[in-house]
Amino acid sequence: MTGLPAIDTPFLVDFLTRLLNTPSPTGLAEPAVALTEAELKPFKGLEFTRTRKGALVASWSGASPTAGARALTAHADTLGAMVKEIKPSGRLALSRVGGYAWNTVEGEGVTVFGAKGGKVRGSILLTKASGHVYGAEVNETKREDSSMEVRLDARTASAQETRALGIEVGDFVAFDPRVEVTQGFVRSRHLDDKACVACLVAAVKALSDVGLKPARTTHLLISNYEEVGHGAAAGIPATVEELVTVDMAAVGVGQTSDEFHATLCVKDSGGPYHHGLSDRLRRLAEKYAIPYMVDIYPYYGSDGEAFWRAGGDVAVALIGPGVDASHSYERTHTEALVATTQWVLAYLLEE
Ligand SMILES: [Zn+2]
């Protein structure tokens, strides 16, 4: 209907679900990067390289290979934690990886990835969790590093017993995503930014399915350190003239973004994005009747800005699906995922 190649929505949702179920906290994001690479491998015409930092660059030569190259980026790493301390009780104190509030993961199931390769399950709890023991303190205690801990699902009551499980300071901790697809909604942790990785892969599939290639040579950077601020600081090839960052839109009171549209972010904590490129994306959305919003995110940074701050001399813009309760238990709708994928397709095909 839009005049764009058809998107295989069941494929998009299936790959997204598999990606969400692949733990990849920043610093240990390789499994999600590798899954994305494996998913892209069957499509003809893409060449794959890895940066030394571990990001994936999938390069697709364009119909007019002499024209300036373009790039799109989305990140496969997510929020998570690392073991900060093994307590005398055998429980774990954590150090957060990425920016989130403790209350957003309170009660969540976790997997601890032991240094020697073992995995131990557990959950994140307030140190004074039981209402029957601590009464009003359960409600009144401030959630901070010192008041949150991991209770391991293993028989341990000492640091020594926990070490015997193969757990050491510095081990990575991943939160259960709790993916559920219902009524067109996708509810899960880490839709930021796996939703957008899935949109990029679905766009590649949509073009490939009809034997098309992008108008310009295009590099897809699947970055692996976005949540700590420097993901796409490296990895964008020097020939690239413009970068479209694909990352979730922030939904909430006062925001235009919602779970049924893709959003063009024109400004966030890092200031305005590139006006010319943003304008072109707006016109593409109108040309193809893609449901979109324009918004400003008050507390937000992107990999596009990471590249700008690292000295990247390119036009940068930001689009993505609306995600409710970002950096908490997130949710979006398939309509926003399809709209974002359509927008990526329109950009890939733009002369
Ligand atoms: Zn993100």
Side-chain angles (χ1 to χ4, degrees):
M1 282 184 296
T2 58
L4 292 165
I7 294 160
D8 185 345
T9 308
F11 165 83
L12 194 169
V13 174
D14 172 73
F15 172 57
L16 173 56
T17 302
R18 285 184 284 125
L19 192 59
L20 290 165
N21 281 318
T22 305
S24 59
T26 309
L28 199 69
E30 173 56 23
V33 178
L35 181 71
T36 306
E37 182 171 11
E39 206 67 21
L40 286 169
K41 272 270 159 73
F43 302 116
K44 290 204 179 70
L46 277 78
E47 283 170 28
F48 300 91
T49 52
R50 289 298 193 97
T51 67
R52 296 183 190 96
K53 205 160 101 177
L56 171 69
V57 184
S59 302
W60 204 356
S61 76
S64 51
T66 50
R70 293 169 172 166
L72 293 127
T73 188
H75 64 92
D77 62 304
T78 72
L79 303 176
M82 294 169 84
V83 176
K84 169 66 176 63
E85 179 191 343
I86 301 173
K87 298 182 173 189
S89 63
R91 296 188 177 199
L92 310 174
L94 296 180
S95 177
R96 279 172 290 181
V97 173
Y100 60 91
W102 275 121
N103 61 287
T104 62
V105 291
E106 186 172 350
E108 191 56 273
V110 300
T111 300
V112 183
F113 292 86
K116 295 187 188 93
K119 295 177 198 172
V120 182
R121 294 283 297 160
S123 50
I124 298 181
L125 293 168
L126 189 66
T127 49
K128 295 179 175 177
S130 170
H132 302 95
V133 179
Y134 302 105
E137 282 187 277
V138 178
N139 191 32
E140 288 160 5
T141 303
K142 188 171 191 308
R143 273 59 176 164
E144 52 196 351
D145 290 9
S146 59
S147 64
M148 305 298 289
E149 64 185 11
V150 172
R151 176 190 63 193
L152 296 165
D153 298 327
R155 290 212 173 198
T156 170
S158 69
Q160 193 186 9
E161 285 175 302
T162 293
R163 286 207 169 82
L165 298 168
I167 292 174
E168 294 293 346
V169 169
D171 290 351
F172 281 95
V173 176
F175 311 140
D176 289 357
R178 279 189 287 135
V179 190
E180 192 171 323
V181 181
T182 183
Q183 302 290 330
F185 288 99
V186 183
R187 167 161 50 79
S188 178
R189 290 188 186 280
H190 313 321
L191 288 170
D192 174 17
D193 186 27
K194 290 177 172 178
C196 298
V197 174
C199 289
L200 290 184
V201 173
V204 170
K205 183 175 190 297
L207 275 197
S208 299
D209 284 350
V210 290
L212 289 174
K213 50 161 49 183
R216 308 268 194 103
T217 293
T218 303
H219 304 277
L220 307 178
L221 176 72
I222 306 302
S223 80
N224 59 339
Y225 278 91
E226 194 275 349
E227 291 294 357
V228 294
H230 61 76
I236 303 291
T239 52
V240 165
E241 294 179 353
E242 53 191 37
L243 169 64
V244 173
T245 309
V246 190
D247 207 336
M248 53 136 203
V251 173
V253 173
Q255 300 296 109
T256 62
S257 303
D258 67 30
E259 295 164 274
F260 311 100
H261 290 76
T263 299
L264 173 78
C265 175
V266 290
K267 178 182 182 288
D268 63 19
S269 304
Y273 284 90
H274 189 270
H275 182 59
L277 180 56
S278 296
D279 243 20
R280 270 173 44 218
L281 287 163
R282 232 191 256 226
R283 285 197 295 273
L284 282 174
E286 275 153 19
K287 176 179 173 186
Y288 292 103
I290 297 165
Y292 82 104
M293 296 290 187
V294 177
D295 211 348
I296 288 174
Y297 310 152
Y299 306 101
Y300 192 106
S302 80
D303 249 349
E305 282 156 353
F307 187 53
W308 262 352
R309 289 188 200 288
D313 179 21
V314 301
V316 174
L318 171 63
I319 61 171
V323 169
D324 188 62
S326 56
H327 281 199
S328 181
Y329 192 21
E330 299 167 345
R331 194 183 70 171
T332 190
H333 193 278
T334 316
E335 286 180 18
L337 300 175
V338 169
T340 302
T341 308
Q342 287 173 332
W343 218 342
V344 169
L345 281 170
Y347 178 66
L348 288 170
L349 291 169
E350 187 202 32
E351 300 280 317

